[in-house]
Amino acid sequence: MKYEFHQIEEKWQKVWKENQTYKVTEDKSKPKFYVLDMFPYPSGAGLHVGHPLGYIASDIFARYKRLKGFNVLHPMGYDAFGLPAEQYAIQTGQHPADSTKKNIKRYREQLDKIGFCFDWDREVITCEPEYYHWTQWAFLKMFNCWYDNKTNKATPIESLIAEFEANGNQNIDAATDLEGTFTSDEWKSWDEAKQEETLQKFRIAFLSDTMVNWCPALGTVLANDEVKDGVSERGGHPVEQKKMKQWCLRVTAYAQRLLDSLDELGWTDSLKEMQKNWIGRSEGATVYFPIKDSNERMEIFTTRPDTIYGVTFMVLAPESELIEQVTTSDQKAAVDAYLDKAKRKTERERMQDKTISGVFTGGYCKHPFTNEDIPIWIGDYVLGSYGTGAIMAVPAHDERDWAFAKHFNIPIVEVVAGGDVQEASHDAKSGKLVNSDLINGLDVKDAIPKIIAEIDSRGLGSRKVNFRLRDAIFARQRYWGEPFPIYFKDGIPKPLDESDLPLRLPEVDAFKPTETGEPPLGRAKNWTTKDGYPIELSTMPGFAGSSAYYLRYMDPHNDKGLVSKEANEYWQDVDLYIGGTEHATGHLIYSRFWNKFLYDLGYVCKDEPFKKLVNQGMIQGRSNLVYRVKGTNQFVSLGLKDKYETSTLHVDVNIVENDILDTEAFKKWRPDFKDAEFILEDGKYVCGYANEKMSKSLFNVVNPDDVIAKYGTDTFRLYEMFLGPIQQSKPWNTSGIEGIYRFLLKVWRLYNRDDQFNVVDETATADELKSLHKCIKKVDGDIQNFDFNTAISAMMICVNELSDLKCNKREILEKFVVMLCPFAPHIAEELWSLLGHTTTVTLADFPTHDEKYLVESNWNCPVSVNGKLKFVLDLPVDYGKAEIEKAVMEDERTKALLNGKNLAKLIVVPKKIVNLVIK
RNA sequence: GCCCAGAUGGUGAAAUUGGUAGACACGCUAGACUUAGGAUCUAGUGCUUCGGCGUGGAGGUUCAAGUCCUCUUCUGGGCACCA
C-alpha cells in the first residue's frame, strides 16, 4: 500500500462525520475540558493559510486532552453580524443575510478539509434568531439592573426604585452619572419621564446624551476600540466627535473588578498589560476650587495633589459647561472665537496638532488653601472626556502645564525641589516639598496622603480613583445587527417582555446606511409593538453577539435560557482560549464584563470566562517580486537586476516555487505578459521576496485548499505547527513543507514495507523502547507547553531512529500512532485500523512514558579546567557527587593536568559538567 | 513620550532554564541507484588565515552566560495631550 493521503483523509473525515465521533455530551464520569477558538468572522475572502493556525493548535490540544481521558468541549461557530459583513454585502450588491450564508458555507467547506474535531452539533451563528434571542435577553437584563457599589454587583432596578421612593438617593452608592441628591418627596413629585431620565443614569444598559465617535462614511457611531488614530478601524474613514443620544453599557462600573481579576488569569503578561492600560486606573484626588464671586465651584482631578501649592492657573476643556459662567464680558469675544476654532477641528486634527493654544476666560478661582486668585483658562490639551474636563495646572511639575505657562507667560512656582523649573518642568515623583506650607519638607510619597487627608477633613474634595475606560457605546445606525428589545411610549424607553423575544430583524427594502444617521430600520414596515408603539431603530454592535457565545456552546439548543444551570455547572468556563491579540481591548474586555454581569445575577457560576488564553501570531504573506526592465517587456532575474534599470512588480505567489518563477505560467497569468521575455540566471528566473500583510492586492494570499490538494491536510497541519512557536508572527513560506511530507512518508513506511503492511508481534529491544519513551516524554511535555514545533521535531527524531533500527514491532508502533494522532489524525486513524483496531484512535489512551527505559548505562561526563573543556569521561549514570569526584580525580588525564599545580576548587554537578579550578 | 515583547548559521528555528550553542527541518555540496527526477538513499554543511572566533553592540557577575545584572542599538506590538 502506498501513502494515498487524499483517499485516507477523505475516508476518515467521512467516518468521523457518520459516527459523530466528536459529539460530546455532559458526561459526569469524566473530567471536563473546554477548548475554544475565537470564532471566525465569515468575510467574503474565505480562509487563508493564516486563519487555521490557531484552530490547528487548539485542535491538537483538544485531541490530546481527549486521549488523556477528558470529556472535551471543542465547538465552532460564526460571528456573523456586524459592520464588515454588511459592508461586504453592500459592495457586492447582496443582502447581508445571503452573503453571510454563502460565506459561512465557504468557510465550513474549508474548515472541513482540515479535519478538525469540532462538535458541529453545537454550532452557533450570531445572526440567527435562536442565538440573538439571548443577546437581546442579556441586554434586557442590563437595562433592568443598576450597579450597587456597596455590594459590588449588578442588582435589579426594582430595589433602586423602592429605595428612591423610601429615601431618595442619599443612601445610594451606585455607578451613576447622576450628580447631587434628591429626596423621596422629590422623586414622587416627578412625572414618569423625569423619573425614567433619572433611572437611565443608573441602568447598566442606558440611553445617554453623550459625545460619540461618529463616522459619516459608515453612517454609524463606533466604540472607542473601533477607532484607531482618529479613523475607523474598518475602512479607515475619518471619525468625528458628535453629541448624540445613544445606548451605552456601563462597563465602567466593572473597571476595578476587571482590573483585579486579571491577576488570576493564565494570560500572557503583555495581554494583561494591554488591558491594564486600556482600563487605565489612576489614583489621586478630586479637589474643588471655588469660583470667585460665585456660589459655583470647579471640580478637578489630579494625581499629584501634593503639588497643589504650585497651582498658578486652571484650565477647562473647550467642551466644558463651566465656560459660559466664568467668562467675563470683555473676554467673551476672544473665548467665542477660540471655541469656534476648537469645535471645527476633528478629533484627529486636535490630536495631531501639538501647537499650544488657549484663551483666558477672564474668570478666577480661589485657591482652596491659600485663598489666592487663580486665573481660569481654556485649553484644548485638556480633554472633555477624562476626569472632570478641568485641571489645576502646576507648570513647575507638569510638562504640558509648563509649556502652556511659558507660551502665555504665566508664573511658574516650584514646590518640589530638585530641578530648575524655569528651564524645564520637574515631573519627578520624589523629592522634598518646598513653598508648600502644610506639607513643606515632606517627600512626595508622604506629602500625597497628608494633603489628601487635609483636603478631606476641610471638605475641599476627596481621594479619588479615575479610570481611562469609557462606557461602551452600544448602538449602531446600521441594519445588520441585533434589534434592541426596546420600544418607546410617549418618548420613554420601555423594555419588551422577555416572552416577546427574539425580536426578529425586520425586512427592509433598502438596508444601506444614511450619512445623516437615520437608521435603516426606520424603513421597516410595522416596526412597532402589538400596541403600535415604535421600536428602537438602532441595532447592536458587532461585539454584542460575541460577548457570550462561549456560554451558548455549553447548551446551544436550549430555548428556555442562554445556558441551563446543569450545563453551565458541568462545563464551568473555558479552560483554553486561542485567538489573536487584536481583540485585547475589544472582545476580551466586553466578554469579561458581560460574564461578570451574568455572574452577578447568578446565571453563570464563574466570574471569569477564559481561564487560560494563548495568542497565536499572525501569518504574514511572503510576496514574490519580479523585475521588469524599464520600457520593455523583459524581466530580469533577481541576481542580475542591478545591471538594468528596473521596476518592481508583485507576482502571484502561486506561480512561484521556492522563489523560482514558472515562466510559462507567468505568460498566461495576465494578457499583457503574454510576450514576456526573461533574462535568466543558471537557466532559472529567481524572484525577490518581501514579507507583508497577506492580501489579495499583493498576490501573496495562499489558500489552504491548494496546499491540502498538493500535500494533504496532515502535512498542512504539521507544517503550520512546525513553522515556529505558535505565539510568534511569521511569514508563510512553503519551502520547508517537503520535509514534513517526507516525515509522514517515513512514518508510513515504518508500518508498511515494500507497500505491504508489515508490523509484527515481537518484543521490542531496549533501543527501540528508549527511542519511543524519550519521544513520548518530550511530546507530552511539549503539547502541554504549546511547543508544538519541538514536539514534531521529537517525533521526527524518533521515526529516524526507529527506521534505522528497522523497527516494526507492534508494541512500539501502536503507541507511536496514538502520539501522532493529535497532529496528523487521518494517517493515524489509517495506521490504527491497519493495526487491526475497529474503534477510532480517538478513543485510545495517550501513551505515558516510563523512565526505566530512559536510564542510560553510561553518560559522558565533560571535565573542564577553568571553564575550558579538557576531556570527556564515561561514567555510570547512577554515580553520585562523591563517586564522580573520585573518578575524575583518579583519571590519568586529570593527574596530567594537575601536574605540579594546586587544585583550588572542584565543582561537581551530577549529570552535568565537572569543573576543576586551578590556581 | 510611556509600556510590553523580541534580536541565535544561507533560511525557519532548538538549547534539559546557568553546564559541550546551532537539535530538527529547509536549502546547499558531493556521491549511489536511475532512461529520467521536483523520487529515494549515503556523507558533508556556523565562521575560520586551522591559532582560534562565534547567540545585535559595549561592559559586568561566575569555574562556566544565548540564558543573570548595567548601559546601548535596532525590530515588532500596544497606549498616547489620561492631568
Side-chain angles (χ1 to χ4, degrees), chain A residues 203-216:
Chain A
R203 295 185 190 275
I204 289 178
F206 61 102
L207 265 178
S208 165
D209 222 357
T210 179
M211 289 303 262
V212 297
N213 307 302
W214 169 251
C215 180

Side-chain angles (χ1 to χ4, degrees), chain A residues 337-352:
Chain A
Y338 181 74
L339 292 185
D340 193 49
K341 214 170 87 191
K343 258 174 212 152
R344 260 186 280 134
K345 278 199 227 172
T346 64
E347 180 86 334
R348 183 161 208 199
E349 285 166 341
R350 202 166 137 179
M351 262 158 47
Q352 281 173 344

Side-chain angles (χ1 to χ4, degrees), chain A residues 264-283:
Chain A
E264 310 147 20
L265 298 178
W267 297 13
T268 60
D269 289 339
S270 69
L271 190 64
K272 288 189 195 178
E273 200 61 37
M274 258 191 242
Q275 290 215 339
K276 269 182 201 159
N277 290 341
W278 187 258
I279 296 167
R281 182 192 152 102
S282 54
E283 283 181 44

Side-chain angles (χ1 to χ4, degrees), chain A residues 595-663:
Chain A
N595 193 82
K596 280 177 189 298
F597 171 76
L598 294 176
Y599 173 78
D600 284 354
L601 298 188
Y603 291 109
V604 298
C605 62
K606 288 280 184 172
D607 179 44
E608 279 289 333
F610 315 120
K611 221 184 282 175
K612 184 176 165 68
L613 194 145
V614 172
N615 293 119
Q616 93 272 23
M618 275 216 279
I619 293 211
Q620 295 147 306
R622 189 179 189 275
S623 312
N624 273 115
L625 309 168
V626 291
Y627 307 94
R628 180 190 221 154
V629 179
K630 280 217 168 118
T632 71
N633 215 5
Q634 278 193 316
F635 292 83
V636 56
S637 185
L638 176 69
L640 304 169
K641 82 174 170 80
D642 292 342
K643 296 184 181 153
Y644 302 84
E645 203 182 319
T646 58
S647 53
T648 305
L649 290 135
H650 278 79
V651 62
D652 189 344
V653 292
N654 294 300
I655 58 169
V656 178
E657 192 159 339
N658 290 341
D659 290 341
I660 309 295
L661 180 70
D662 180 339
T663 50

Side-chain angles (χ1 to χ4, degrees), chain A residues 567-581:
Chain A
N568 181 250
E569 267 165 15
Y570 182 75
W571 295 112
Q572 304 254 329
D573 51 5
V574 177
D575 294 282
L576 174 66
Y577 197 20
I578 298 191
T581 6

Side-chain angles (χ1 to χ4, degrees), chain A residues 119-138:
Chain A
D119 177 1
W120 282 106
D121 282 357
R122 291 176 182 259
E123 178 185 63
V124 302
I125 298 174
T126 58
C127 65
E128 289 183 345
E130 297 73 36
Y131 179 83
Y132 67 68
H133 181 154
W134 304 107
T135 311
Q136 292 172 331
W137 167 84

